[in-house]
Amino acid sequence: VCLMVFYHFMFDLYYFGAYSGHMLSGPWQTFARSIGTTFIFVMGVSLTLRYSRLKPEMGHKQVFRKYLSRGLQLLGLGMIITLVTYLLVGNGFVIFGILHLLGLSTILAYPFLRSRWLSLIGGLVVIGLGVRISQIVSPDPWLLWLGVRQFGRFMLDYYPLLPWFGLALLGAFLGFTLYPQGSRRFALPDLSHMAPVRGLTYLGRPSLLIYLVHQPILLGILILAGIGSI
């Protein structure tokens, strides 16, 4: 969460012309991808934890409804991001970004949560297909969500289903491995008495809310400071 806010702050400075670095290529894009990769992977781990804790209390249909509801919520928020970026940015607006991916992955991952090895094999297969399909370029945008790039299309945020859904499945595999039956199988030092740790722990809880509101807040601060304007 902290890295995401920092990256977007630097991007906003770049957008307003207050930072001369090139945010759209090189190390900055590698940095941005590492943040997105962490989000997707941790989401995969969390899917297994939620499944392990809900399954003893509910049947498969009830658990799936929760995953479906959560996935549709994320997809809906992703569509709001699409609309807002289309109105504000124009060319380069987000068609299938990380919220779209997390929403669809939450739904599609459910069948894989019954087996640790199924999630591993599925993740490797999806990543392999993604590497293959990323080499295809189309004149049309209809398969952008899947991973088929459109010629001449640039997007501020792009995480297609292939290969990124595979990373979520690998996260699920790690979740099964490190948290069998939803319980951690290794010991960690208790640092909860340290204020920085408590602060970071808090940021992890409303991470979706922070994702949605931090950019308007950052832009507002920069505009009020006279660094940028609408």
Side-chain angles (χ1 to χ4, degrees):
V1 171
C2 293
L3 293 175
M4 174 190 67
V5 173
F6 171 72
Y7 172 78
H8 285 155
F9 175 71
M10 296 303 299
F11 188 91
D12 293 342
L13 291 176
Y14 165 80
Y15 180 77
F16 286 134
Y19 174 65
S20 59
H22 195 357
M23 299 293 297
L24 300 179
S25 64
W28 277 114
Q29 283 302 295
T30 301
F31 180 58
R33 283 299 188 189
S34 69
I35 300 169
T37 297
T38 304
F39 264 106
I40 297 165
F41 196 78
V42 170
M43 187 273 289
V45 174
S46 69
L47 289 178
T48 63
L49 293 176
R50 184 172 174 81
Y51 181 83
S52 297
R53 292 166 183 174
L54 288 177
K55 187 60 184 68
E57 304 172 4
M58 305 178 180
H60 279 296
K61 289 184 178 180
Q62 291 175 300
V63 178
F64 175 68
R65 287 194 193 101
K66 287 188 172 292
Y67 278 78
L68 178 63
S69 175
R70 181 61 169 174
L72 291 177
Q73 179 190 25
L74 291 171
L75 277 172
L77 292 172
M79 295 307 298
I80 293 175
I81 297 294
T82 296
L83 176 61
V84 171
T85 54
Y86 175 77
L87 295 175
L88 296 180
V89 179
N91 292 333
F93 74 98
V94 177
I95 294 178
F96 199 87
I98 195 163
L99 277 185
H100 302 79
L101 171 73
L102 295 181
L104 193 54
S105 295
T106 298
I107 299 170
L108 296 180
Y110 185 77
F112 295 89
L113 300 180
R114 301 187 184 188
S115 167
R116 178 164 72 110
W117 297 110
L118 183 61
S119 61
L120 173 62
I121 295 171
L124 294 176
V125 169
V126 169
I127 290 174
L129 290 174
V131 172
R132 180 72 174 177
I133 204 171
S134 66
Q135 302 172 10
I136 304 174
V137 181
S138 171
D140 302 309
W142 309 117
L143 293 178
L144 277 170
W145 64 275
L146 190 62
V148 177
R149 294 174 297 151
Q150 183 184 11
F151 181 78
R153 167 76 68 175
F154 161 75
M155 284 170 284
L156 291 175
D157 185 35
Y158 182 46
Y159 285 88
L161 192 66
L162 304 177
W164 294 101
F165 173 51
L167 188 63
L169 291 179
L170 293 186
F173 169 76
L174 185 66
F176 276 121
T177 304
L178 298 182
Y179 298 89
Q181 308 302 319
S183 300
R184 189 172 67 232
R185 64 182 302 176
F186 55 95
L188 287 175
D190 184 7
L191 303 177
S192 60
H193 61 283
M194 300 175 62
V197 173
R198 290 199 302 270
L200 291 173
T201 301
Y202 172 76
L203 289 178
R205 293 169 185 161
S207 56
L208 177 59
L209 177 62
I210 294 173
Y211 178 86
L212 293 173
V213 305
H214 79 282
Q215 268 289 51
I217 292 174
L218 290 176
L219 291 171
I221 292 172
L222 292 176
I223 291 172
L224 290 174
I227 296 175
S229 60
I230 299 177

